[in-house]
Amino acid sequence: MDDIASTTDNSAITSELTSETPEGGNQFSRLWIRLFFLMIACAILYFPGTKLYRSQKDKAFKSACKAAVEQEDWKGLLETSNRWRNWNPQQGDALIFLAEAHVQLGEFEQAAERLGQVDDSYHGALQALAARAELLYIELRQPYAAEETWLRMLNVNKLADVPRQRLIYFYAMSLQRKKMLDLIHESMQLGCEPLESYTYLLIVNSLNFSDGLVLMTRWLQSAPGDETFEVAQAVYAAKKTADNAMATFGIQTLIPGDRSLLDKSLQKYPANLEALAIQIDFLIFEGDAEQVAKLISQASPDAEFDSRFWRYRAWLLSNRQRHQDAADSLKQALELNPYDWQARWLLADVYRKLGRAAEADQVAKLGRQGKELQSKLFALPNARQLTEEVAAELIDYLRAIGPSPALEAIERRL
């Protein structure tokens, strides 16, 4: 009887919907309009893929991930964030929770990979990329991959301070002088230079780090045969003193360290400026003009833009009694690097030999000021921790030298 009643009812509806009378036609239209709006409402509220549905699902996943973090359930967090990511591949928050799970489980490579998948438009892109870079740099010992990540951060925001700070430090540590100087000058032009920029700028010809040798050795394990790291390793080894301390004020006043790696580097990379520079420093200390001339001649074309090599030429010219040519070479060195106190020191000596005593005294005074400032900069705990006293002396030194990008930048900061 129920089946019959049901059939009867359905037949009645069918009859009503298919009625060809005007009244039946209106009923047909009204019913389908109602059904149409009902379908839209259902789609908005429940159909997978709609905005509201996805938002509710995202919130549920996010709450579950937060709960896992609070409970320190890292495997649960990994599972939940993975499901979230698989369900919504565009959700950046899922990647962050996923990376957090990998970090807590000691899976640093997977964490770095997940953080690298964050879209540049993600609201936390800079923070995510900064975390990725530190994982690569410290835990995974992949400094070049970290460098790429920091450069990517600057593409996201060219004024970001963290990538500039980390890049300048990396370039300084690995003795990539040109990259370091270019980035410092660019940062000064943009008005976003890190505070340590001034320190590195003034000690660029004597870059040294107590952990440099250890870091270069580690990095070579992940980048075997890399010229930059091999040369930096050789330089740091050569700068070690007899008591295993690090040279700080220049090769000429300290006992040389192990030069075997340096000799190998020069055989392998005869035009490398960093390897040549420290070897020439040794040779000048030993007074070997012939070898200095030989090494200068084999330097790469970039030496034309390196103040150290103009200073080396000047020493050689002065040694050959060509004092005016030496003075001209030193002026070119100071054009390239006005903070080079060693060039001023040598220029004072050349001026004395030319009989220009008053100029010699003036240049020597500025050279002495630069040398004393450098010793104080090296005595700081790190490049960022400028004391008020040292900062004041730095500004005085820059003002004594004359107009420069560094002076403009630091006066703007003040």
Side-chain angles (χ1 to χ4, degrees):
M1 293 294 292
D2 291 339
D3 291 340
I4 295 173
S6 176
T7 302
T8 303
D9 291 341
N10 289 338
S11 299
I13 294 172
T14 303
S15 175
E16 180 179 337
L17 289 175
T18 56
S19 172
E20 295 182 358
T21 64
E23 183 179 352
N26 291 336
Q27 290 175 341
F28 175 82
S29 299
R30 287 195 297 271
L31 181 57
W32 273 106
I33 289 172
R34 290 173 189 157
L35 288 173
F36 177 73
F37 281 109
L38 181 61
M39 289 169 63
I40 293 176
C42 289
I44 292 174
L45 292 172
Y46 303 110
F47 190 77
T50 61
K51 187 174 182 180
L52 181 57
Y53 175 81
R54 295 178 74 86
S55 176
Q56 291 176 338
K57 189 102 173 178
D58 282 336
K59 287 180 180 179
F61 272 123
K62 191 169 188 176
S63 296
C65 286
K66 287 183 176 180
V69 171
E70 291 174 359
Q71 297 166 14
E72 298 186 0
D73 179 10
W74 308 122
K75 290 185 178 180
L77 177 63
L78 183 65
E79 180 184 350
T80 303
S81 54
N82 250 322
R83 286 193 292 111
W84 188 6
R85 174 67 173 167
N86 291 334
W87 179 79
N88 185 0
Q90 306 303 318
Q91 179 52 255
D93 287 346
L95 282 172
I96 301 304
F97 282 114
L98 193 53
E100 171 72 7
H102 283 305
V103 168
Q104 295 296 340
L105 293 170
E107 300 167 352
F108 301 124
E109 190 169 348
Q110 294 93 322
E113 181 182 357
R114 293 302 188 183
L115 290 169
Q117 293 171 348
V118 167
D119 192 86
D120 287 354
S121 61
Y122 173 62
H123 64 85
L126 287 178
Q127 292 82 353
L129 293 174
R132 167 182 162 81
E134 293 307 310
L135 284 172
L136 291 166
Y137 190 78
I138 297 173
E139 300 293 344
L140 299 175
R141 299 176 183 177
Q142 297 178 24
Y144 286 133
E147 177 191 15
E148 289 179 6
T149 304
W150 288 320
L151 290 172
R152 179 183 165 188
M153 291 173 68
L154 291 181
N155 285 331
V156 175
N157 181 0
K158 68 179 181 179
L159 300 179
D161 54 352
V162 170
R164 290 186 180 277
Q165 179 183 356
R166 299 302 281 155
L167 282 167
I168 289 171
Y169 171 75
F170 168 59
Y171 293 147
M173 172 65 73
S174 53
L175 307 182
Q176 299 184 68
R177 294 174 75 258
K178 186 177 186 305
K179 285 186 176 181
M180 184 195 77
L181 289 173
D182 288 347
L183 187 57
I184 287 175
H185 290 141
E186 177 192 271
S187 300
M188 287 180 173
Q189 289 175 356
L190 293 171
C192 58
E193 73 282 0
L195 184 59
E196 61 268 32
S197 298
Y198 305 103
T199 301
Y200 289 134
L201 196 60
L202 267 64
I203 66 171
V204 64
N205 288 344
S206 303
L207 291 171
N208 219 345
F209 296 84
S210 59
D211 56 345
L213 181 57
V214 173
L215 275 179
M216 294 309 116
T217 304
R218 287 177 180 171
W219 291 349
L220 279 169
Q221 294 174 3
S222 63
D226 181 80
E227 179 178 348
T228 296
F229 297 156
E230 282 189 354
V231 169
Q233 180 192 49
V235 170
Y236 285 124
K239 286 185 175 183
K240 283 284 186 180
T241 61
D243 61 357
N244 207 35
M246 294 299 295
T248 53
F249 307 129
I251 298 303
Q252 298 184 14
T253 58
L254 295 170
I255 301 172
D258 181 6
R259 292 162 65 176
S260 59
L261 287 177
L262 182 60
D263 293 336
K264 291 178 182 178
S265 291
L266 281 168
Q267 290 175 3
K268 192 173 180 180
Y269 313 111
N272 186 282
L273 298 188
E274 297 309 314
L276 287 170
I278 188 171
Q279 188 74 313
I280 291 172
D281 278 332
F282 281 125
L283 293 171
I284 288 177
F285 177 67
E286 295 163 1
D288 192 339
E290 183 178 347
Q291 282 299 309
V292 168
K294 178 179 179 296
L295 293 186
I296 289 175
S297 68
Q298 70 187 51
S300 72
D302 288 339
E304 292 298 310
F305 309 99
D306 191 320
S307 66
R308 295 172 298 179
F309 285 83
W310 286 96
R311 172 159 47 86
Y312 299 150
R313 293 188 188 102
W315 179 87
L316 195 60
L317 289 166
S318 182
N319 185 267
R320 295 172 178 175
Q321 308 302 311
R322 294 171 57 184
H323 301 307
Q324 185 55 56
D325 290 337
D328 293 339
S329 186
L330 288 166
K331 288 177 183 178
Q332 181 60 34
L334 290 169
E335 281 289 325
L336 292 169
N337 180 12
Y339 322 112
D340 185 357
W341 65 265
Q342 291 170 302
R344 295 186 188 279
W345 204 261
L346 183 55
L347 181 59
D349 181 64
V350 169
Y351 277 163
R352 291 189 187 95
K353 291 174 180 177
L354 289 170
R356 298 160 64 175
E359 291 174 275
D361 291 342
Q362 183 179 4
V363 173
K365 180 181 178 181
L366 191 53
R368 190 179 305 109
Q369 186 179 353
K371 182 179 180 181
E372 291 173 356
L373 176 59
Q374 178 177 285
S375 68
K376 292 182 179 180
L377 290 172
F378 273 116
L380 296 173
N382 61 60
R384 282 186 69 84
Q385 293 185 354
L386 284 173
T387 64
E388 290 187 11
E389 177 188 353
V390 174
E393 290 188 29
L394 187 151
I395 295 169
D396 287 343
Y397 181 57
L398 292 177
R399 287 173 176 165
I401 290 173
S404 69
L407 179 59
E408 292 178 13
I410 200 166
E411 286 186 334
R412 181 191 65 245
R413 288 182 74 126
L414 293 174

